[in-house]
């Protein structure tokens, strides 16, 4: 769905009965599909969404990764849309918003993991930016779920609530192991979105290197060639794919070690330890010359000082530990955990004191990773999901240079967020 005249008006009905994995199911979707419709906007556009709740539980809507206001009827995680009710969102995309890949999903506390695992996801593309010499531009929104024989989504087990659920079915755009047809002379842009509730994706394409050009919707300073890319839940990567030649190649997700359970055992069983085939790439036709790719991309500037404040946040929870919390407190929507003055630039050190990795996500404002315990060099771009390894840390710089209002930060293993690993932040004006 594409905006016209600076406005995109859309109705999204969240309800059961989505077509999924090639069959009619009792999974959930928007307007009868999972993923829901892709929303295409340009910087400066107004996104107006009437969200209709046809579920038997409350819901709402979060535009993940968009740098937009968290207040009122914009990207406000404190909105509750009751069963049978509706809510009208009006989300203004700033005129200087970078072009890139984002997504939307529910964010009603206590129901988030269930609703995303059931299929309530959709992609957002902010159009614009440099013209790339590509033959196609594809969205690959990866989700996972588990269905029983009747097509109903299987509820989380007690172990899933602790480890974070990973489904038996891993889907690309709601399809199980689809085929992607390409020609030998093609260069395609793939917008890969990890829409899973808990699964970390370590993605590779057999026989190929992936040329990453963007992270979490933000262009990298220069393309990066790599054998695989790691996406935390909620994370995105834009990659350029050039076929190595005619043939059939598997796009797969390898197991990713998220941490250790009690007694030093790796988390999960055989299902979590297996490589998963996401799709098959079928390359046929006559080879030709492929276009040249840009060496440098226009990346937005990362924040510099002066730094107004430094904070440390500690994440706790996992096997053998009581509850999921940040700084020893579980989520309360009526409490301000952090208050920041508009215009501030802050450094946050996020410490993971638990035996499992936690992807840290902040709404509305992006973060720049200054350093991390894993030792990887900074990406040089602002991002919105940072995977903090077990017993590790990440130091983040965050510019609170626009937007006032309350929103949240949390672990994006959504079973952990639903069980309390989330805090609130309130950005107030200087005279507030």
């Amino acid at each position: 769905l594409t905006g016209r005249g600076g406005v995109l008006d859309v109705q999204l009905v969240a309800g059961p009965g989505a077509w999924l994995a090639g069959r009619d199911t009792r999974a959930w979707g928007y307007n009868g599909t999972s993923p829901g419709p892709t929303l295409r906007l340009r910087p400066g556009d107004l996104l107006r969404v009437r969200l209709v709740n046809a579920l038997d539980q409350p819901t709402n809507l979060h535009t993940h990764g968009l740098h937009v206001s968290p207040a009122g009827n914009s990207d406000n995680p404190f909105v509750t849309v009751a069963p049978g009710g509706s809510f009208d969102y009006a989300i203004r995309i700033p005129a200087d918003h970078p072009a890139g890949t984002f997504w939307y999903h529910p964010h009603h506390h206590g129901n988030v993991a269930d609703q995303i695992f059931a299929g309530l996801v959709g992609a957002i593309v902010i159009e614009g930016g440099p013209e790339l010499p590509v033959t196609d531009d594809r969205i690959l929104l990866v989700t996972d779920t588990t269905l029983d024989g009747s097509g109903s989504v299987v509820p989380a087990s007690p172990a899933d609530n602790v480890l974070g659920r990973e489904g038996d079915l891993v889907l690309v755009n709601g399809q199980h192991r689809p085929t992607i047809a390409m020609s030998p002379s093609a260069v395609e842009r793939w917008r890969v979105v990890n829409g899973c509730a808990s699964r970390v994706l370590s993605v590779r394409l057999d026989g190929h290197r992936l040329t990453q050009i963007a992270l979490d919707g933000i262009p990298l300073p220069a393309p990066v060639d790599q054998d695989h890319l790691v996406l935390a839940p909620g994370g995105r990567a834009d990659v350029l794919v050039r076929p190595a030649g005619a043939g059939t190649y598997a796009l797969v997700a390898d197991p990713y070690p998220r941490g250790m359970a009690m007694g030093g055992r790796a988390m999960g069983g055989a299902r979590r330890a297996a490589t998963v085939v996401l799709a098959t790439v079928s390359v046929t036709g006559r080879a030709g010359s492929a276009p040249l790719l840009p060496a440098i991309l226009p990346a937005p500037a990362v924040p510099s000082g002066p730094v107004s404040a430094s904070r440390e946040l500690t994440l706790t929870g996992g096997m053998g530990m009581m509850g999921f919390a940040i700084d020893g407190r579980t989520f309360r929507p009526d409490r301000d955990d952090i208050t920041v003055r508009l215009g501030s630039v802050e450094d946050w050190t996020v410490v993971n004191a638990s035996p499992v990795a936690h992807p840290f996500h902040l709404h509305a404002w992006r973060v720049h990773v200054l350093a991390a315990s894993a030792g990887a060099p900074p990406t040089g771009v602002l991002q919105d999901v940072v995977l903090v390894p077990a017993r590790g840390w990440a130091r983040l710089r965050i510019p609170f240079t626009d937007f006032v209002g309350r929103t949240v930060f949390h672990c994006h293993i959504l079973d952990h967020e639903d069980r309390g690993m989330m805090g609130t932040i309130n950005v107030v004006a200087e005279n507030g």
Side-chain angles (χ1 to χ4, degrees):
L1 303 175
T2 303
R4 293 184 179 181
V7 178
L8 174 56
D9 277 304
V10 58
Q11 176 170 283
L12 295 177
V13 180
W19 182 265
L20 202 64
R23 64 183 177 125
D24 200 10
T25 72
R26 297 181 186 176
W28 296 351
Y30 291 108
N31 300 353
T33 68
S34 176
T38 296
L39 309 181
R40 293 186 174 270
L41 301 121
R42 299 188 68 85
D45 280 359
L46 177 63
L47 172 61
R48 293 196 297 228
V49 178
R50 168 158 288 187
L51 178 65
V52 178
N53 185 1
L55 307 172
D56 60 0
Q57 58 185 242
T59 191
N60 61 15
L61 192 70
H62 170 44
T63 53
H64 183 122
L66 290 188
H67 182 50
V68 295
S69 170
N73 62 344
S74 187
D75 187 12
N76 184 345
F78 303 106
V79 166
T80 294
V81 186
S86 66
F87 186 81
D88 291 326
Y89 288 90
I91 301 171
R92 173 68 67 181
I93 313 300
D96 61 351
H97 198 290
T101 307
F102 308 92
W103 65 302
Y104 61 91
H105 61 78
H107 212 285
H108 191 272
H109 182 62
N111 308 110
V112 184
D114 285 345
Q115 293 183 6
I116 289 181
F117 195 69
L120 287 174
V121 299
I124 299 173
V125 175
I126 303 297
E127 298 182 321
E131 292 291 333
L132 296 177
V134 297
T135 53
D136 207 348
D137 189 318
R138 300 181 189 265
I139 295 169
L140 279 67
L141 204 170
V142 182
T143 57
D144 64 353
T145 194
T146 300
L147 301 176
D148 64 18
S150 69
S152 298
V153 177
V154 174
S157 68
D160 287 335
N161 290 334
V162 174
L163 300 175
R165 69 194 80 183
E166 295 185 7
D168 293 330
L169 277 175
V170 184
L171 308 172
V172 177
N173 298 340
Q175 302 171 71
H176 187 232
R177 298 183 179 178
T179 296
I180 299 172
M182 296 183 67
S183 72
S185 58
V187 176
E188 295 192 355
R189 177 180 188 156
W190 290 3
R191 303 173 183 265
V192 186
V193 180
N194 185 351
C196 300
S198 303
R199 185 187 299 266
V200 177
L201 296 175
S202 179
V203 179
R204 60 180 171 85
L205 178 60
D206 284 349
H208 293 74
R209 290 177 68 81
L210 300 172
T211 301
Q212 186 175 355
I213 61 170
L215 172 66
D216 284 356
I218 308 299
L220 296 173
V224 177
D225 282 336
Q226 50 195 346
D227 294 322
H228 71 282
L229 56 94
V230 174
L231 290 179
R236 289 90 62 214
D238 290 26
V239 296
L240 300 179
V241 180
R242 186 198 311 256
T248 300
Y249 308 93
L251 178 68
V252 304
D254 290 320
Y256 184 86
R258 289 203 279 121
M260 306 300 290
M262 295 174 63
R265 295 179 290 107
M267 288 198 318
R271 172 164 56 87
R272 287 182 173 87
T275 292
V276 175
V277 176
L278 301 176
T280 299
V281 177
S282 177
V283 182
T284 59
R286 184 175 301 176
S289 59
L292 295 175
L293 303 179
I296 298 176
L297 299 165
V302 298
S304 57
V307 175
S308 308
S310 296
R311 306 177 190 269
E312 183 172 294
L313 282 66
T314 301
L315 313 179
T316 54
M319 293 295 290
M321 304 184 73
M322 294 300 291
F324 291 93
I326 299 177
D327 289 341
R329 298 187 293 187
T330 56
F331 175 68
R332 271 184 46 187
D334 59 347
R335 181 186 66 215
D336 284 351
D337 295 312
I338 294 177
T339 300
V340 176
R341 291 288 180 183
L342 180 65
S344 301
V345 176
E346 296 199 355
D347 284 356
W348 292 9
T349 300
V350 180
V351 178
N352 183 358
S354 82
V356 298
H358 294 293
F360 180 82
H361 173 52
L362 172 65
H363 289 211
W365 300 279
R366 298 194 186 95
V367 308
H368 172 54
V369 180
L370 297 173
S373 58
T379 61
V381 298
L382 292 163
Q383 56 195 95
D384 55 72
V385 180
V386 178
L387 188 59
V388 186
R391 310 296 186 191
W393 54 269
R395 192 165 74 251
L396 317 176
R397 180 158 293 168
I398 310 171
F400 297 99
T401 49
D402 45 17
F403 305 128
V404 295
R406 297 180 76 240
T407 192
V408 294
F409 50 89
H410 60 89
C411 175
H412 219 282
I413 294 174
L414 298 172
D415 290 290
H416 297 174
E417 182 253 296
D418 277 337
R419 279 150 190 82
M421 192 176 278
M422 182 160 66
T424 61
I425 179 170
N426 190 5
V427 176
V428 298
E430 285 293 337
N431 58 356

